[in-house]
Amino acid sequence: MEIQAWHTLAPEEVARVWESPSSGLSEEEAQSRLLRYGANRLPGRKQTNWLKRFALQFHNPLIYVLLGASVLSGLLNHWVDTGVILAVVLVNAMIGVIHEGKAENSLEAIRRMNDPQATVRRNNRRKRIPAEELVVGDRLYIEAGDRVAADIRLVETHQLRIVEAILTGESLPVSKDALSAPAEAALGERSGMAFSGTLVAAGTGIGIVVATAEKTEMGTISRLLREVVELQTPLTRQMEQFARRVTGFILLFSVLIFTFAVFVRHYQWDEAFMIVVGLAVAAIPEGLPAVVTITLAVGVQRMAARHAIVRNLPSVETLGSVSIICSDKTGTLTRNEMMVQAVATHEAFFTLEGQGYEPSGRILRDGETVTEDPTLSALARAALLCNDADVAREPEGWKAHGDPMEAALVIFARKAGLDPVRVREAHPRTGEIPFNGELQYMLTCHTSDSTMHEMMVKGAPERVFRMVHNVLCNGGYAQFEPSDWLARTHTLASRGLRVLAFATARRPPVRGQEGILDVDDFAQEAPRGFTLLGLVGLIDPPRDTARQAIAECTQAGIRVKMITGDHAVTAAAVARQLGISESPVVALGEDLDGLSLEELAFKSLTTDVFARTTPEHKLRLVKALQADGSVVAMTGDGVNDAPALKRADVGVAMGLAGTEVAKEASQIILTDDNFASIVSAVREGRTVYDNIKKVIAWTLPTNGGETFAILGALTLGLALPVTPVQILWINLITAVALGLTLAFDPGASDVMTRPPRPNHSSLLDRRLFGQTLLLCGLFTIGVFSVYFGVLQRGGSLELARTLVVHTLVWMEIGYLLSVRLTPLDPLQWRVAAATPAVRIGIGLVLMCQVAFIYTPPLQRIFGTLPLTGWHWGVAIGCGAMVFAVVEAEKRLRPPRASGGIKPLL
Ligand code: ATP
């Protein structure tokens, strides 16, 4: 169907055109429309073309130098050298293309895991479906925090306000209603429409889908920017910058060496040139930036496997330094599988039996089954009407649709003997104030008879008590005693129950004929004059995995703070059950209001639980903790959580319960909403940082060591212990096969038992510098002892050089094994070479070495001779020596000072 001016038509007209009954489409109809009109998906980002990606690998100053060197070698007729340098460059580029391609694809796949969902009515039931499956004619529900998933003609709205900046550029939210607009109305003036891609700032609404995918306004404009996968991070940028500096330094240094070789040592200039090329290739860490990116990408994949989707790579690094995690309670630390366990009315306390969302179970009063209680029935009726959830029997059991807490209230009503369908049909809803964390209540209006209307409110007890003037009791009314009811609330909350109060009021209709109560009046003025029905206490068991994860955080020096909208006493009880603290220090949101940033920082450090908070409190807490030097991870799900999520060092949104706005504002999305997944992500973040550190700590000293060995020979005027082309060979096989293996390390044994690393600590620190010097010394000693050893025993220069190459390779292997170990790990081959990547890498390198030493073609190219078993022993011995010395240095070194290490850059 052609795009029409849907905004000009009345909702009924649109419903007729699209055959969209108010009960929603049937599943069969939706399926056939999906086939007819296609999925509600905009064309994806173009895949980066392989050739272009390959070409981009050469766009790097390090590679320019290598390519320049290969051309010059060719001009000097050193074709073998040219070939080997080109092989180095090509192998590097290929590894880069393959791994970057894999990383990009997996990031893309990970991002697809987070595809948006939409709530629709189908077969007369609310249902969550992937937004891609929306079809024209669907009845779509939208609420605060949603990104509208298709263009819809609104049928019903409740204080609905939408930000349409993405389409109109207007950043303030615009009010929406179900009215038609003139044909010429601009997009921003079509109040009866909600457009795909815009954000719901407040309220709720229902609309009929009139356009999906490319047919939407969003799809028809060209400003369709889909986020691209970004592989650059501050760290990789830092690495590139570092590599560039190193290159500049090496070039300068090469000129000096060249001059020295030609004028002081009287080398032929082409020979001197080849030495310098060998040196430069040995010294340039050409693979480093790519390996760092790959390490990050491996971390992202591992995090996805542990239910944490990383939206941008830099947060992987930040995760490793998190020192405080501020977590929501409901659903993150607890299971959000609620059940009403206790009810308090004016006359009595009741307890409820049952399991989960199973609608069977007795209601007991003093141990006796209750069959009839008018106050309890009135309360159950309110619990059913002031409620948007449903419970349905599905093959795998009873399941909640909508808010789990409200679903638990539906079950409570059923246990109290009410039939949800009948009660809801008999009292249709005519108005509502949707729940939000700031109001802490929800209010609905219903028609009850021709003259009166009924309002139901449910919410946080303190909030509801303010609206109440009397209490329902035995069919009559009793005086409302605040202290008495606060005490009852306390009794329920101290058992860890989430407590809700229910109240009702009857009013004559405000607007005569149509009988619609105008709840908008309450937006300005708090509702009053209600009759309290009673309290409901819901159990929400803590997650076992969260309890373990909190214990792990304690070991890892990370502090956990619970931030909740719930009652202080409930929150404290749950915090105790979770092991956050034996006697948790609790602060109320309102206690934080008057505090300055410093006072707040002090208070927030000493507090474990923040109760009755609003999203603004979260933002202030993040700022205060950051001002105090902490690295803060903050969870959130609601639309108002977005500023705090953005501000936190790591914003963590809930994948299941979170709004689109919260997800877009955060760096990490949890696909299972579980606190334990945050801790797993922190563990991975620490591991990634360790691995990058290992990659650098391995690459720089090995490059430096090779360079030193050649330099030593040059300055002393000796014959070179390795030829330039042999140096190129070592680089070709080890940089890739050995260096890359570190990217896949699973994480050290102490990764979650040491404190968070200091903020802003640099990867390139003095310790690394010291280590590089040590390795340079060891390599030089190894190389020359072997070299002179062979010559002294009457061996030829070729034999000496072959053994030197082999020894260098073994020393690199020895160092690789040592870099993987922490000082706590036992010194065993089993532990040092524990990952398949390391074993495969070493295996590959040794296979190449065997070919290098024993196959005639390679012997010809590289001027090598066969080695004996004794030679192998010497080379392996040198590798073992490097391993032993580095291990000894590591174990003798004083423990890390708490202030961190002074960075070099
Ligand atoms: P957390 O921040 O840990 O998720 P929370 O879910 O308890 O905590 P909010 O959702 O802000 O926080 O709820 C605050 C209070 O508002 C609750 O303690 C409850 O009393 C009340 N409340 C929550 N949901 C509803 C609802 N759907 N209708 C009415 N009142 C509600």
Side-chain angles (χ1 to χ4, degrees):
M1 190 160 306
E2 284 305 300
I3 295 184
Q4 292 203 15
W6 301 111
H7 60 285
T8 62
L9 303 184
E12 305 76 49
E13 187 67 9
V14 176
R16 199 184 51 73
V17 174
W18 284 119
E19 295 173 24
S20 165
S22 57
S23 56
L25 300 176
S26 67
E27 281 302 336
E28 300 74 45
E29 179 59 24
Q31 281 311 316
S32 89
R33 290 188 189 192
L34 190 60
L35 285 178
R36 203 172 338 143
Y37 298 107
N40 178 32
R41 180 191 323 134
L42 289 172
R45 194 175 53 83
K46 268 212 220 110
Q47 282 283 317
T48 322
N49 148 337
W50 282 89
L51 216 64
K52 189 170 160 209
R53 192 180 283 146
F54 187 69
L56 277 177
Q57 300 294 323
F58 298 93
H59 177 52
N60 177 341
L62 299 170
I63 304 292
Y64 296 159
V65 175
L66 295 183
L67 288 178
S70 78
V71 172
L72 287 174
S73 322
L75 291 178
L76 294 172
N77 272 332
H78 286 270
W79 293 109
V80 173
D81 302 61
T82 307
V84 180
I85 300 177
L86 285 180
V88 172
V89 172
L90 276 180
V91 167
N92 254 305
M94 262 151 51
I95 297 275
V97 169
I98 293 170
H99 280 282
E100 273 179 23
K102 268 215 268 191
E104 238 175 63
N105 288 344
S106 65
L107 288 188
E108 187 71 38
I110 288 167
R111 211 174 51 183
R112 274 201 297 275
M113 284 162 66
N114 181 39
D115 272 353
Q117 300 273 308
T119 307
V120 289
R121 181 164 283 279
R122 292 222 181 131
N123 284 342
N124 208 12
R125 168 159 292 159
R126 263 173 98 117
K127 193 177 170 205
R128 288 289 277 170
I129 58 167
E132 282 197 359
E133 291 174 17
L134 273 179
V135 291
V136 279
D138 255 331
R139 299 263 167 163
L140 176 69
Y141 289 83
I142 51 175
E143 60 179 16
D146 283 355
R147 200 174 264 290
V148 183
D151 284 2
I152 55 175
R153 174 68 176 91
L154 291 162
V155 176
E156 194 182 316
T157 62
H158 300 287
Q159 298 171 338
L160 182 64
R161 286 167 359 116
I162 295 190
V163 181
E164 297 184 330
I166 193 160
L167 283 179
T168 62
E170 170 58 54
S171 57
L172 290 177
V174 287
S175 290
K176 293 286 178 181
D177 47 44
L179 301 177
S180 313
E184 66 279 7
L187 274 188
E189 290 159 4
R190 299 180 188 173
S191 64
M193 297 285 298
F195 298 105
S196 176
T198 57
L199 282 173
V200 183
T204 57
I206 306 175
I208 301 170
V209 175
V210 293
T212 57
E214 286 145 298
K215 299 257 170 54
T216 60
E217 290 296 335
M218 179 76 173
T220 51
I221 57 167
S222 55
R223 235 175 337 129
L224 193 183
L225 290 175
R226 290 201 67 194
E227 276 171 75
V228 283
V229 178
E230 179 60 276
L231 284 178
Q232 279 254 320
T233 76
L235 183 65
T236 55
R237 252 174 252 132
Q238 193 189 350
M239 285 323 302
E240 270 172 24
Q241 198 187 13
F242 169 74
R244 230 172 288 142
R245 281 191 209 172
V246 170
T247 313
F249 174 74
I250 291 170
L251 283 181
L252 190 78
F253 194 61
S254 304
V255 174
L256 289 179
I257 297 289
F258 182 75
T259 325
F260 177 80
V262 174
F263 296 104
V264 182
R265 293 276 167 232
H266 306 294
Y267 278 84
Q268 290 295 312
W269 73 270
D270 62 335
E271 196 187 342
F273 177 76
M274 290 321 298
I275 294 175
V276 166
V277 166
L279 261 181
V281 177
I284 290 176
E286 65 276 354
L288 199 52
V291 178
V292 170
T293 310
I294 293 166
T295 315
L296 284 171
V298 170
V300 170
Q301 285 164 2
R302 287 191 185 157
M303 286 185 194
R306 289 163 173 264
H307 309 290
I309 296 178
V310 176
R311 294 188 63 239
N312 63 346
L313 276 184
S315 43
V316 179
E317 298 153 31
T318 323
L319 264 172
S321 60
V322 163
S323 56
I324 294 186
I325 305 177
C326 297
S327 175
D328 284 343
K329 171 177 72 72
T330 313
T332 313
L333 291 167
T334 64
R335 286 197 224 147
N336 210 4
E337 288 162 8
M338 302 217 189
M339 198 185 93
V340 175
Q341 211 175 49
V343 174
T345 61
H346 183 75
E347 303 95 325
F349 268 103
F350 301 88
T351 47
L352 279 84
E353 291 181 336
Q355 276 285 318
Y357 294 115
E358 200 68 43
S360 56
R362 294 180 305 162
I363 301 184
L364 306 172
R365 176 181 177 174
D366 301 327
E368 300 285 318
T369 309
V370 179
T371 45
E372 187 64 45
D373 184 291
T375 317
L376 186 73
S377 297
L379 178 55
R381 189 166 147 272
L384 201 53
L385 292 176
C386 189
N387 190 323
D388 289 320
D390 252 328
V391 179
R393 181 184 226 141
E394 292 183 7
E396 62 273 25
W398 288 86
K399 264 190 80 178
H401 292 271
D403 178 6
M405 182 186 79
E406 294 194 338
L409 292 172
V410 174
I411 296 302
F412 156 54
R414 290 182 68 142
K415 287 179 184 169
L418 301 185
D419 176 345
V421 177
R422 256 211 248 140
V423 174
R424 284 174 170 171
E425 269 175 11
H427 304 281
R429 194 184 291 183
T430 55
E432 67 176 292
I433 299 178
F435 169 76
N436 78 45
E438 234 151 298
L439 283 179
Q440 295 192 338
Y441 69 82
M442 165 177 175
L443 189 150
T444 55
C445 303
H446 305 264
T447 47
S448 67
D449 55 51
S450 56
T451 52
M452 294 299 264
H453 285 271
E454 215 171 351
M455 285 191 282
M456 313 274 180
V457 65
K458 79 166 188 297
E462 318 87 282
R463 206 60 199 78
V464 173
F465 292 164
R466 273 188 248 155
M467 311 174 190
V468 165
H469 75 127
N470 61 8
V471 186
L472 189 70
C473 142
N474 287 331
Y477 299 102
Q479 179 87 15
F480 171 63
E481 298 288 351
S483 54
D484 183 23
W485 282 95
L486 284 173
R488 288 172 197 227
T489 307
H490 194 281
T491 310
L492 294 179
S494 55
R495 284 156 54 185
L497 300 181
R498 157 184 276 229
V499 190
L500 285 177
F502 286 82
T504 172
R506 284 164 75 83
R507 297 269 166 85
V510 179
R511 299 214 176 130
Q513 312 135 320
E514 80 273 29
I516 305 288
L517 267 173
D518 194 356
V519 289
D520 286 352
D521 295 347
F522 293 139
Q524 276 80 40
E525 207 183 309
R528 299 216 170 274
F530 279 70
T531 299
L532 183 67
L533 299 171
L535 301 173
V536 166
L538 298 111
I539 180 172
D540 180 12
R543 290 177 186 265
D544 289 336
T545 47
R547 207 191 323 248
Q548 289 153 13
I550 287 171
E552 200 175 339
C553 284
T554 313
Q555 277 203 325
I558 301 169
R559 279 185 293 163
V560 179
K561 305 204 176 281
M562 179 196 279
I563 304 191
T564 174
D566 215 336
H567 194 280
V569 180
T570 309
V574 177
R576 233 186 326 267
Q577 291 166 10
L578 282 163
I580 290 182
S581 164
E582 256 316 295
S583 43
V585 181
V586 186
L588 287 179
E590 60 192 38
D591 298 343
L592 313 178
D593 283 336
L595 302 183
S596 70
L597 205 62
E598 295 81 54
E599 289 168 334
L600 185 59
F602 179 73
K603 183 151 189 107
S604 48
L605 283 173
T606 49
T607 305
D608 303 303
V609 176
F610 298 89
R612 290 294 188 230
T613 51
T614 62
E616 288 80 73
H617 291 125
K618 283 189 173 181
L619 180 61
R620 293 194 60 219
L621 275 174
V622 170
K623 286 186 182 165
L625 291 169
Q626 283 176 335
D628 195 66
S630 303
V631 179
V632 186
M634 167 71 82
T635 68
D637 47 19
V639 57
N640 299 333
D641 287 337
L645 290 172
K646 267 215 171 98
R647 172 72 199 232
D649 298 281
V650 182
V652 184
M654 300 302 134
L656 301 176
T659 56
E660 285 306 312
V661 181
K663 291 182 197 170
E664 284 170 24
S666 55
Q667 285 95 41
I668 306 267
I669 299 173
L670 302 183
T671 53
D672 62 351
D673 291 10
N674 187 348
F675 177 81
S677 305
I678 309 177
V679 182
S680 306
V682 169
R683 168 189 279 273
E684 287 303 335
R686 288 185 173 197
T687 305
V688 163
Y689 196 85
D690 279 358
N691 287 356
I692 291 179
K693 212 163 175 168
K694 284 184 221 164
V695 167
I696 297 174
W698 183 80
T699 309
L700 295 186
T702 48
N703 282 12
E706 293 166 15
T707 319
F708 244 59
I710 303 192
L711 267 185
L714 248 179
T715 25
L716 299 176
L718 306 170
L720 289 184
V722 270
T723 63
V725 68
Q726 287 171 342
I727 280 285
L728 292 174
W729 163 262
I730 298 176
N731 243 288
L732 176 66
I733 61 165
T734 60
V736 172
L738 295 185
L740 196 59
T741 59
L742 294 169
F744 301 91
D745 257 13
S749 49
D750 68 339
V751 73
M752 287 303 266
T753 51
R754 55 173 126 101
R757 73 164 197 272
N759 205 358
H760 309 305
S761 65
S762 172
L763 279 166
L764 308 161
D765 54 32
R766 287 193 191 286
R767 179 166 299 160
L768 182 64
F769 187 63
Q771 191 128 343
T772 307
L773 280 184
L774 174 69
L775 262 286
C776 289
L778 287 177
F779 274 41
T780 315
I781 296 172
V783 164
F784 284 109
S785 343
V786 167
Y787 180 68
F788 289 121
V790 175
L791 291 182
Q792 255 173 13
R793 284 164 190 259
S796 67
L797 186 61
E798 283 71 33
L799 185 68
R801 283 178 172 164
T802 312
L803 186 55
V804 167
V805 172
H806 203 45
T807 306
L808 273 170
V809 168
W810 272 104
M811 288 198 290
E812 292 195 8
I813 293 175
Y815 183 45
L816 180 84
L817 298 180
S818 169
V819 156
R820 291 199 56 253
L821 297 180
T822 72
L824 300 176
D825 289 325
L827 293 177
Q828 288 166 6
W829 163 260
R830 208 163 41 84
V831 183
T835 73
V838 168
R839 293 181 185 180
I840 294 172
I842 294 178
L844 274 177
V845 165
L846 291 181
M847 268 157 54
C848 291
Q849 272 306 102
V850 170
F852 175 79
I853 299 168
Y854 300 106
T855 61
L858 291 190
Q859 285 176 345
R860 262 197 305 283
I861 295 178
F862 294 100
T864 52
L865 287 176
L867 297 181
T868 62
W870 185 83
H871 292 134
W872 275 78
V874 170
I876 296 173
C878 286
M881 178 232 359
V882 168
F883 180 85
V885 174
V886 179
E887 279 304 305
E889 190 272 339
K890 209 188 288 177
R891 280 150 214 269
L892 295 176
R893 187 198 296 154
R896 183 183 289 237
S898 59
I901 300 152
K902 204 158 184 277
L904 275 179
L905 281 183

